[in-house]
Amino acid sequence: MAQHHKLIILGSGPAGSTAAIYAARSNIAPVVFEGMQPGGQLTITTEVENFPGFPDGVMGPEIVDIFKRQAEKFCAKYIFDEAIGADLSKRPFKLQMHEAEYTCDALIIATGAVARWLGIPSESKYRGHGVSACATCDAFFFRDKKVTVVGGGDTAMEEATFLTKFATKVTIIHRRGELRASKIMQEKAFKNPKIEFAYFSLVHEIIGEMNPPHITGVILKDVRDNSLRTLEVDGVFMGIGHVPNSHIFKGQLEMDENGYIITEGKTTKTTVPGVFACGDVQDHLYRQAISAAGTGCMAALDAERFLSSEGL
Ligand code: NDP
C-alpha cells in the first residue's frame, strides 16, 4: 500500500530545501526525497562565497546541511531515496522510489541538473583542485592564472567571458572548427583580448601534481591528425552542457528540447496542475544556488495555494 502525503518534494538542493522550509512553516508537513546525491550540485562545490548571509563564505556541503536543519526544525521529513518512476496522469500522483511507492496531492520537482563531464580519469582526479564545471563558483580562485574552458556552446562562451575578469588568459577548447554558441555570445568572446581558441581539439588528459593537488596543464589531441600537444594552464572548466534530471517525467510534463521542464510565466506551475518545478531542472540560464532557492520558495507558495484551492 502506497504511503500518502499532501506534498512531496523531490530533491534537497537549495530549491528543494527552501520549498521544504516554506511548506513546513505553512503546516503542510512536506516529505523531501533527498535523491542519491543529497544537496545536489552544491555538495561538489568547495567554498560558496556568493550566497547572501555568509560574509566569510561557507563550504557547499555545510550550507546544504544548514538548509536541511532549518527545514527539519519546522518538521519537514527528509528521506534518503530517489524517484525512479512517476505517474502524473491523475491525482493523487504516484511516485515509485527504490524502497517504496508513495502518493501525493501536490508535487514539487527540484531534482536539479548535472554538469556534463568528459569522463576521463584525470578529470575526476583533479575535480575541485583545478577542474571545475562552474566558473561563477570557482573563477575567483584563478586570479592572474591561465585557464581553459572546454566546449563551443553558450555555456562555454559565458564561462570564458566571466573567467577573463580574473584570469590572465582563457583558452576555449572546442572539438570542431565552428562554434555552436549564439552569434552574439561568439562575437563577445572573439572581441575579448584575453580569450584564445584551440579548435579541432579534444582534452586527451589533464596533468598535474598531487602534493598538494593542482593541475599544470592539459594534453590536447588534434582530431584531424591525432597529434598531441600540451597547453600549460592552472584550471580547466567544463562548459559542455548540463543535463536536467527530468527523465522520469518525459512525456508527462512539457519540456524544452534539452529536457528542462517548462513552467508557466512567472510561476513554478508545470503543464500538470498540482505539479511544480523549481531550481535547475527548469532553469538553464541562471543556475545559481540563490536563484534556485528563490524558485523553491515560489514553488512552495504555488503548491500551498493549489492545495487550499482544492480544499486540501
Ligand atoms: P550546448 O549543448 O549548446 O553546447 C555544448 C558544447 O559542448 C558544444 O559545443 C559541444 O560540441 C561541446 N561538447 C559536448 N560534449 C562534448 C564532449 N564530450 N567533448 C567535447 N566537447 C563537447 O550546451 P550549453 O550548455 O552551451 O547550452 C545549453 C542551452 O543553454 C543552449 O540552448 C544555450 O543557448 C543555453 N544557454 C544560454 C545562455 C545564455 O543565453 N546566456 C548561457 C548558457 C546556456 P559540438 O558543438 O561539437 O556539439
Side-chain angles (χ1 to χ4, degrees), residues 42 45-67 141:
L42 269 183
T45 309
T46 46
E47 198 169 5
V48 180
E49 292 182 322
N50 54 9
F51 201 94
F54 296 90
D56 301 320
V58 56
M59 296 308 280
E62 193 188 340
I63 195 172
V64 158
D65 187 54
I66 293 171
F67 293 151
F141 303 112

Side-chain angles (χ1 to χ4, degrees), residues 116 118 150-156 158 174-176 180 185 202 239-242 258 284-285 287:
R116 202 174 274 139
L118 293 172
V150 187
D154 281 342
T155 296
E158 193 169 66
H174 184 37
R175 61 185 176 186
R176 294 185 293 132
R180 176 180 294 280
M185 306 275 278
L202 287 176
I240 58 175
H242 286 80
N258 296 313
H284 65 76
L285 263 189
R287 293 199 298 247

Side-chain angles (χ1 to χ4, degrees), residues 2 11 37 85 109 141 168 182 188 213 223 251-252 274 277:
Q37 188 188 10
I109 303 168
F141 303 112
T168 50
S182 54
K188 212 170 162 188
V223 293
Q252 305 193 65

